[in-house]
Amino acid sequence: MHKKLFIPGPIEVKQDVLERMSTPMIGHRSKDASKLQRDISNKLRKLFFTNNEVLLSTSSGSGLMEAAIRCLTKKRAAVFSIGSFGDRWHEMATTNGVEADLFKSELGKITTPEMVNEVLSTNKYDLITITHNETSTGVMNPLEEISKVVKKYPDVIFCVDTVSSAGGVKIEVDKLGIDVCITSSQKALGLPPGLAICTISERAIEKARTIKNRGYYLDLVQLYDTIKKKDYQYPSTPNISLMYALDYQLDRIFEEGLENRFKRHLEMAEYTRVWAKKYFDLFADKEHASITLTTVKNTRNISVKDLNAILGERGFAISNGYGELKEKTFRIAHMADLDMVDIKELLLEIENILNLQ
Ligand SMILES: *Cc1c(COP(=O)(O)O)cnc(C)c1O
């Protein structure tokens, strides 16, 4: 039996979107390939409210996260972490020989604009990374406030991980001054895994040109120059099947309307938070709780493992806590194409299983 996915990636994918992946194959050097990839980039620019170029990578989001920190740091990177995915960005730096410092907040808390200001004011750093929505804790950073601070440091390249928020929450790349905004296909965009997406500013590309040892497959300059020279074709063979699904899904997203989509995500989040507070508690502070997933504090000491096993028999999957939070929390994703009916159905099922009232 198929389990409906309420896990924070991969997420439930609509059948008609899945079916687009069986579109007959085309050559990756054909005019059709150029058109497909050009259309996708144009649509993604609308989704991210940007005039910047868009790069697609046949990798997961982590591929472009690694690319960004490696290709764009000359002096030293300031990596802000509020959980596992922030930590990962720091590991990517050190394993690539990029000088970087990690600034970690307590689990469940945000990166504050004050922290960012204090760190950048040392003038030691020429790149900063921020996790917009930390999927391991269900905390959403105040991106707009942070961006105001980063703007005071015009020589710093601003990289943001929006892997589990883009497509579910409004992210205005140009207004926020984000140089590299990264996401993956399998989260709030509602597609299977296998594609990474980023927007990239002109100044980021110009800076990357001055940096040595950018690698090969994930060299942002090579990706950028190739799509410019070859009309949106990529240096190596991309995941064309997933691109068909992405192109189609972006049309579906605009058909729903971006504002409607963001509103639907907020409604699902608010409903889930009220439920979580009624029967358990929220792991994140209410004002920084994620809009695309809710991390529930396991105040009743239930076995999350057993709950998920029974849910599985009934056709649902949720997520346990991440890492050290495995049994202390559980996570319910409410992103992509899930709606209020799905969420209510899931939460009612949990109430029944646990005899909550
Ligand atoms: C899932 C996730 C990632 C990793 O993305 P992959 O596509 O699995 O490489 C990075 N950051 C955040 C916030 C995520 O949720």
Side-chain angles (χ1 to χ4, degrees), residues 185-297:
S185 52
Q186 79 279 11
K187 305 233 172 142
L189 285 176
L191 291 154
L195 271 181
I197 295 162
C198 76
T199 68
I200 186 155
S201 68
E202 207 56 53
R203 70 179 201 129
I205 284 295
E206 289 320 309
K207 179 168 183 197
R209 292 188 196 286
T210 70
I211 285 163
K212 280 192 218 138
N213 296 323
R214 299 186 303 263
Y216 185 87
Y217 188 69
L218 293 169
D219 175 7
L220 295 176
V221 176
Q222 204 197 163
L223 290 172
Y224 182 90
D225 285 349
T226 308
I227 66 163
K228 290 294 184 193
K229 205 170 94 198
K230 295 191 174 174
D231 192 12
Y232 287 92
Q233 292 176 9
Y234 283 86
S236 46
T237 323
N239 190 339
I240 293 169
S241 302
L242 198 41
M243 285 182 179
Y244 274 119
L246 172 58
D247 187 48
Y248 177 74
Q249 173 69 345
L250 287 166
D251 287 342
R252 284 184 77 256
I253 288 173
F254 296 125
E255 209 168 289
E256 178 182 12
L258 285 180
E259 293 303 330
N260 292 338
R261 190 175 174 87
F262 300 146
K263 201 166 126 230
R264 175 167 57 77
H265 278 78
L266 191 60
E267 272 168 16
M268 291 192 290
E270 282 171 346
Y271 188 86
T272 310
R273 287 175 205 156
V274 168
W275 181 91
K277 286 191 94 154
K278 181 169 175 198
Y279 296 116
F280 293 90
D281 205 356
L282 283 176
F283 182 70
D285 307 334
K286 186 152 188 317
E287 70 262 40
H288 302 300
S290 165
I291 293 169
T292 54
L293 78 148
T294 295
T295 302
V296 183
K297 203 179 201 171

Side-chain angles (χ1 to χ4, degrees), residues 70-81:
R70 175 170 176 160
C71 297
L72 294 166
T73 311
K74 198 165 212 171
K75 264 190 339 201
R76 203 172 181 88
V79 177
F80 288 85
S81 173

Side-chain angles (χ1 to χ4, degrees), residues 60-62 65 85 88 131 133-135 161 163-164 184 186-187:
S60 73
S62 300
M65 287 169 68
F85 291 109
R88 181 182 288 191
T131 311
N133 186 63
E134 179 50 74
T135 318
D161 169 352
V163 172
S164 60
S184 303
Q186 79 279 11
K187 305 233 172 142

Side-chain angles (χ1 to χ4, degrees), residues 118-222:
E118 200 182 313
V119 168
L120 293 186
S121 67
T122 61
N123 286 321
K124 272 165 67 180
Y125 304 95
D126 62 342
L127 181 138
I128 169 180
T129 73
I130 293 287
T131 311
H132 178 216
N133 186 63
E134 179 50 74
T135 318
S136 65
T137 57
V139 172
M140 194 168 262
N141 261 323
L143 197 54
E144 193 160 344
E145 282 91 326
I146 292 172
S147 76
K148 283 181 189 148
V149 173
V150 179
K151 277 186 189 153
K152 296 197 321 191
Y153 303 92
D155 296 333
V156 175
I157 295 287
F158 187 21
C159 300
V160 184
D161 169 352
T162 63
V163 172
S164 60
S165 50
V169 182
K170 191 177 211 172
I171 298 159
E172 294 176 278
V173 164
D174 287 356
K175 189 176 143 203
L176 299 170
I178 301 172
D179 290 291
V180 186
C181 187
I182 301 163
T183 197
S184 303
S185 52
Q186 79 279 11
K187 305 233 172 142
L189 285 176
L191 291 154
L195 271 181
I197 295 162
C198 76
T199 68
I200 186 155
S201 68
E202 207 56 53
R203 70 179 201 129
I205 284 295
E206 289 320 309
K207 179 168 183 197
R209 292 188 196 286
T210 70
I211 285 163
K212 280 192 218 138
N213 296 323
R214 299 186 303 263
Y216 185 87
Y217 188 69
L218 293 169
D219 175 7
L220 295 176
V221 176
Q222 204 197 163

